[in-house]
Amino acid sequence: MTATFEHSRPAACPACSVAPSAEELAAWPVDATLMLSLPGIHCAGCISGVEKALTRVPGVRDARVNLTLRRAAVEAGPEVSAEDLCEVLERAGYEAHELDPGVLATTEADRQGRDLLMRLAVAFFAMMNVMLLSVAVWSGAEGVTRDMMHWISALIAIPAVIFSGRPFYVSAWSALKARRLNMDVPITLAIALAMGTSLYETILSGHHAYFDAAVMLCFFLLGGRYLDHRTRASARSAAQELAALEVPRALRVGPAGEETVSVAELRAGDIVRVKPGGRIPVDGRVIAGQSEIDRSLMTGESLPAFAGENSVVSAGEVNLTGPLTVEVMAAGQDTALHRIADLVAVAEAGRNNYTSLADQAAKLYAPGVHILSFVSAVGWYLYTQDLRVALNIAAAVLIITCPCALGLAVPAVTTAASGRLFRKGLLIKDGTALERLAEADTVVFDKTGTLTNGAPTPTDLDHLPEAAARVALALAQGSSHPLAESLARGLAGRGVRPAHVEGLREVPGFGVEGTWRGERVQLGRAAWVGAAAPAETATFLRIGAAEPTTVTFADTLRDGAEDVVRALKAQGKRIVLISGDTEAAVTRFAARIGIDEVIAEALPQEKAALVAELSEDGARVLMVGDGLNDTAALAAAHVSISPASALEAARTASDMVLTGRSLAPIADAMRTSVSARARIRENFTIATVYNVLAVPLAVAGLCSPLIAALAMSMSSITVSLNALRLK
Amino acid sequence: MDILGLLIPVSLFLGLVGLVAFWWMLRKGQFEDPEGDAHRILRDDYDDRPKS
């Protein structure tokens, strides 16, 4: 649908000289770097193909592809626009979208990631060195040598733990302040207790010090935290990236004439001009002009609606035939936020509170660990009357039970799975989305723009008489209305030659008319031509006083739509098609693609209600939709997917977003998610088994630092390796 | 055992060198496109004029 999604282009300045002056260059610092999203690239050939194609464009100084992020950064002069570059790449065979570099300055997430990585590196450095020193102690160093090893370990470990463990302390502190327990509380306690008792033991030249365990704990947990961060950061940048896919600009009519401004700068009361083919950037009222508007993204109906003076138009609708002058009633964040907030807030209130597998584990885990360690400390104190022994045991129990492997169990699998799905063209925006996708048993599809491209093609050109076809072609060529363009393409493709029609004139909002052999000919809306109101997408041709001829249109299927429906059926899922479009259009389409359950003419509320109803009946619903009318349903569903061409609101509301045009990754995602959930469960089992084996030793006071180190590293490594088995 | 007095500082120093090297790589952005760099090295497009 990206094709029908033309952004209103900034008007090319006619006075622009070929060589822009120095001031002009200086006044354009912001757009010097253009960012393109390239969801389809995957190999070395693509890198050089894209870079070569881009550098050949005049005005491009440098182009660099980032294969990991599937992006290209292009340094170019002001005369180069991202849309031109996208076109160049499309012609070279690479799917490309424009990104807003301003939005993509994700310095915050980058900084956090680098910060975590640095802490991870420090923890690794400290762990390796302390471990080497500990080997000496484990292999039987005695007296002064052991004390020296302990002291050096302490000197390395204390600053390292203070620096690298900071994320845990901060999180634990904020949890405690809110009187909650989270995973970080036992972690912080374990680190603090281990460091404290070890330092105390070292001062008294005791036998056991857990410096290595404390540092190792930090390292493995930070590893899990870093993977988690990467998944979440890529999800966040995904959301931003897709928000950036539509770079909204508007043509503002000011006292000084028309100027292209960013939608964010518009205020209520401003006047904007919307050219034919452009998207309406704001909510507003038409004050001049007549046209037809395509509301399919907002309501799902594929039939364009009339817009004249005083009609109310909303952001996201596409202006089709005539220029409109619109007075802004609400702009930018106000409109979008307001409507999404209303619809989505209601829907989300109804959404089941999903507890992720990790949360379920943590809920059982955190209190258990504290109780266990406290009970064993009290028990040993009563038994030996020695506080030092009791504290040592408590520290050992906390270290052994500390959720090293648990901290890795989910992030390792999610990282592996989301990396795999990203390569296939699916971005995961939410950490628990995979788990929820694995549970889905019912799939609800939206029609327009999701299963179809949202671009109509004429269906019954065969029964059009030769003369009528020729007149229709001549008239259709005179309009930029999507139905007219599609009709013209269809007829020209059949070798029809246009008739000689004189006085061709477009009547904005109604159609095209002209004179052919002395008779008035019209192509356009039913009411204008004098035909009965249609039940499906259609346009009407009238020659002279004759009865109007109907030309009906149907949407084309999106890539992979049929395959996905077939694959999901084979997996035993229940499939429902719901659309705001007319009954006739929807049923015919459903029969073509092979879906039995169909609901047509659904309002946005009804879509959300249907999803809620299905959920109440015990179904886990996967909603796939793209329009604003789907937003509430997307938010209400157990898990949701939207295509890249969807409205920003829909993409924000959904858990996963397709990056390319094809729907095929959905079936893959289903398979991968089931496999991922199985791996996560296995990982929890593995971690628990290690704990069950080692905890009795710790409680019994038989746990040496060596056993603690072994149990911790073995379980973490097993869990990570298991995650890599993901298919 | 006196050799420990030499070996421990030496091993710590080497470890620190590694840590600083990692920090430097992080700052130079060498982890920004690992996948692309892995592929890029196999192409001869930029042999004569390396891409910065």
Side-chain angles (χ1 to χ4, degrees):
Chain A
M1 179 168 245
T2 347
T4 63
F5 237 71
E6 297 288 21
H7 313 297
S8 46
R9 250 167 231 242
C13 164
C16 255
S17 54
V18 181
S21 68
E23 296 119 353
E24 272 170 327
L25 275 176
W28 207 295
V30 191
D31 282 351
T33 307
L34 299 165
M35 290 290 244
L36 303 175
S37 160
L38 308 157
I41 59 168
H42 54 81
C43 66
C46 302
I47 297 183
S48 35
V50 168
E51 285 181 354
K52 273 186 194 147
L54 285 175
T55 38
R56 263 203 298 271
V57 175
V60 171
R61 280 192 290 278
D62 190 27
R64 189 177 174 88
V65 171
N66 185 326
L67 188 63
T68 319
L69 295 171
R70 315 258 144 127
R71 268 184 209 158
V74 183
E75 275 187 44
E79 71 274 18
V80 179
S81 87
E83 282 159 64
D84 300 341
L85 295 179
C86 289
E87 242 168 68
V88 168
L89 288 178
E90 301 262 345
R91 248 181 285 134
Y94 304 100
E95 186 180 343
H97 305 280
E98 179 182 0
L99 293 174
D100 184 358
V103 183
L104 286 170
T106 55
T107 39
E108 182 59 20
D110 276 5
R111 210 181 46 74
Q112 264 184 20
R114 245 179 249 167
D115 183 69
L116 265 179
L117 209 54
M118 198 57 219
R119 290 181 204 277
L120 194 65
V122 168
F124 181 73
F125 161 79
M127 179 179 80
M128 284 333 227
N129 282 290
V130 173
M131 201 58 82
L132 266 180
L133 298 168
S134 303
V135 169
V137 180
W138 296 337
S139 49
E142 285 293 328
V144 191
T145 321
R146 188 180 61 208
D147 284 352
M148 183 182 73
M149 295 299 180
H150 279 169
W151 274 116
I152 299 175
S153 301
L155 280 181
I156 302 169
I158 291 170
V161 161
I162 290 175
F163 173 70
S164 53
R166 196 165 162 268
F168 307 118
Y169 314 146
V170 171
S171 154
W173 175 240
S174 56
L176 283 179
K177 260 204 304 204
R179 292 164 190 282
R180 287 184 297 111
L181 274 185
N182 62 5
M183 279 288 218
D184 290 327
V185 177
I187 291 169
T188 307
L189 200 63
I191 294 175
L193 204 57
M195 294 304 287
T197 51
S198 302
L199 199 59
Y200 183 63
E201 288 289 312
T202 307
I203 293 169
L204 295 182
S205 61
H207 287 264
H208 290 330
Y210 290 101
F211 292 117
D212 57 326
V215 182
M216 190 158 43
L217 203 61
C218 275
F219 174 71
F220 279 123
L221 288 170
L222 276 173
R225 211 47 70 91
Y226 178 65
L227 289 181
D228 206 35
H229 168 84
R230 262 191 29 181
T231 321
R232 234 178 298 165
S234 73
R236 206 175 315 130
S237 81
Q240 275 169 343
E241 180 161 326
L242 292 156
L245 275 181
E246 34 186 301
V247 185
R249 295 185 194 102
L251 211 54
R252 181 166 65 188
V253 184
E258 289 180 11
E259 50 176 345
T260 303
V261 295
S262 142
V263 166
E265 288 173 35
L266 290 176
R267 298 284 169 271
D270 281 354
I271 309 287
V272 292
R273 180 154 357 253
V274 188
K275 293 184 170 174
R279 264 180 69 202
I280 295 172
V282 292
D283 283 2
R285 193 170 57 84
V286 177
I287 54 173
Q290 261 181 2
S291 178
E292 278 183 300
I293 49 172
D294 177 358
R295 293 206 151 120
S296 61
L297 270 170
M298 323 297 285
T299 61
E301 60 185 315
S302 46
L303 216 56
F306 176 79
E309 218 162 289
N310 280 329
S311 305
V312 173
V313 291
S314 344
E317 297 172 345
V318 180
N319 181 15
L320 295 177
T321 42
L324 288 176
T325 311
V326 177
E327 182 189 346
V328 180
M329 300 199 301
Q333 297 285 318
D334 289 339
T335 56
L337 266 187
H338 183 69
R339 253 173 299 151
I340 302 157
D342 277 3
L343 280 169
V344 176
V346 174
E348 271 182 347
R351 187 182 217 164
N352 297 348
N353 256 338
Y354 180 79
T355 0
S356 71
L357 291 170
D359 288 345
Q360 287 171 19
K363 222 180 249 173
L364 285 175
Y365 205 81
V369 169
H370 289 124
I371 293 166
L372 190 65
S373 127
F374 184 71
V375 166
S376 34
V378 170
W380 275 92
Y381 181 69
L382 291 179
Y383 179 61
T384 58
Q385 295 293 313
D386 186 345
L387 195 61
R388 187 174 153 194
V389 172
L391 274 181
N392 256 321
I393 299 285
V397 171
L398 268 179
I399 288 173
I400 283 287
T401 53
C402 222
C404 249
L406 283 183
L408 278 171
V410 179
V413 176
T414 327
T415 308
S418 54
R420 180 175 299 271
L421 289 177
F422 180 63
R423 276 193 292 280
K424 286 194 176 146
L426 193 75
L427 280 168
I428 297 172
K429 283 175 53 199
D430 189 295
T432 61
L434 271 177
E435 297 171 25
R436 285 182 277 130
L437 184 62
E439 290 175 353
D441 52 15
T442 306
V443 186
V444 179
F445 280 108
D446 166 53
K447 183 178 82 78
T448 320
T450 305
L451 283 176
T452 70
N453 286 316
T457 47
T459 46
D460 49 359
L461 293 179
D462 284 328
H463 80 244
L464 212 61
E466 165 84 29
R470 292 182 54 196
V471 173
L473 178 57
L475 287 169
Q477 281 174 342
S479 168
S480 60
H481 190 288
L483 290 185
E485 281 184 341
S486 154
L487 180 60
R489 251 198 316 276
L491 287 171
R494 294 165 151 266
V496 177
R497 299 177 53 93
H500 184 69
V501 175
E502 285 167 339
L504 207 62
R505 182 172 82 90
E506 179 155 22
V507 186
F510 295 105
V512 201
E513 62 177 8
T515 319
W516 178 64
R517 291 184 186 167
E519 279 184 305
R520 184 173 176 229
V521 286
Q522 292 169 295
L523 178 76
R525 297 180 73 81
W528 184 58
V529 177
E536 52 193 328
T537 314
T539 188
F540 299 86
L541 175 71
R542 180 173 192 155
I543 300 174
E547 268 303 292
T549 320
T550 314
V551 181
T552 51
F553 290 85
D555 227 347
T556 46
L557 277 184
R558 189 183 271 272
D559 273 356
E562 270 173 299
D563 296 336
V564 163
V565 170
R566 208 176 312 123
L568 291 177
K569 269 191 172 168
Q571 288 175 23
K573 313 278 187 222
R574 180 178 162 198
I575 302 179
V576 183
L577 178 69
I578 185 164
S579 174
D581 209 348
T582 52
E583 183 86 43
V586 179
T587 22
R588 200 179 41 199
F589 174 79
R592 179 151 66 124
I593 202 169
I595 298 177
D596 306 323
E597 281 185 72
V598 176
I599 296 161
E601 290 171 30
L603 297 173
Q605 306 87 295
E606 289 171 353
K607 286 195 176 191
L610 171 91
V611 168
E613 207 175 286
L614 286 170
S615 313
E616 258 167 46
D617 295 344
R620 303 277 190 203
V621 180
L622 161 64
M623 172 80 201
V624 188
D626 78 318
L628 196 68
N629 57 332
D630 301 315
T631 314
L634 287 170
H638 193 55
V639 55
S640 46
I641 301 180
S642 61
S645 59
L647 269 195
E648 189 183 333
R651 292 190 310 246
T652 313
S654 48
D655 301 306
M656 301 182 191
V657 178
L658 293 162
T659 54
R661 278 192 196 115
S662 170
L663 283 179
I666 293 180
D668 287 331
M670 289 291 235
R671 264 191 301 278
T672 307
S673 67
V674 172
S675 159
R677 185 178 53 172
R679 292 284 164 273
I680 291 177
R681 293 233 167 103
E682 280 168 20
N683 276 352
F684 280 137
T685 317
I686 293 171
T688 316
V689 166
Y690 272 107
N691 274 342
V692 167
L693 289 179
V695 165
L697 289 179
V699 176
L702 297 173
C703 177
S704 68
L706 175 61
I707 293 177
L710 273 179
M712 212 185 300
S713 45
M714 288 296 286
S715 64
S716 300
I717 290 168
T718 331
V719 163
S720 312
L721 287 180
N722 187 47
L724 292 180
R725 292 200 307 130
L726 185 83
K727 287 207 182 63
Chain B
M1 278 300 169
D2 293 345
I3 192 67
L4 280 181
L6 184 65
L7 281 183
I8 291 175
V10 165
S11 76
L12 278 180
F13 172 75
L14 287 178
L16 271 177
V17 168
L19 192 64
V20 170
F22 178 76
W23 176 76
W24 177 79
M25 290 192 287
L26 206 60
R27 278 204 30 188
K28 285 280 170 182
Q30 299 204 6
F31 301 99
E32 254 151 48
D33 183 15
E35 218 178 297
D37 291 341
H39 282 102
R40 244 172 238 278
I41 197 167
L42 299 175
R43 308 284 302 188
D44 47 14
D45 295 0
Y46 306 114
D47 282 2
D48 300 330
R49 192 179 56 86
K51 210 166 172 71
S52 54

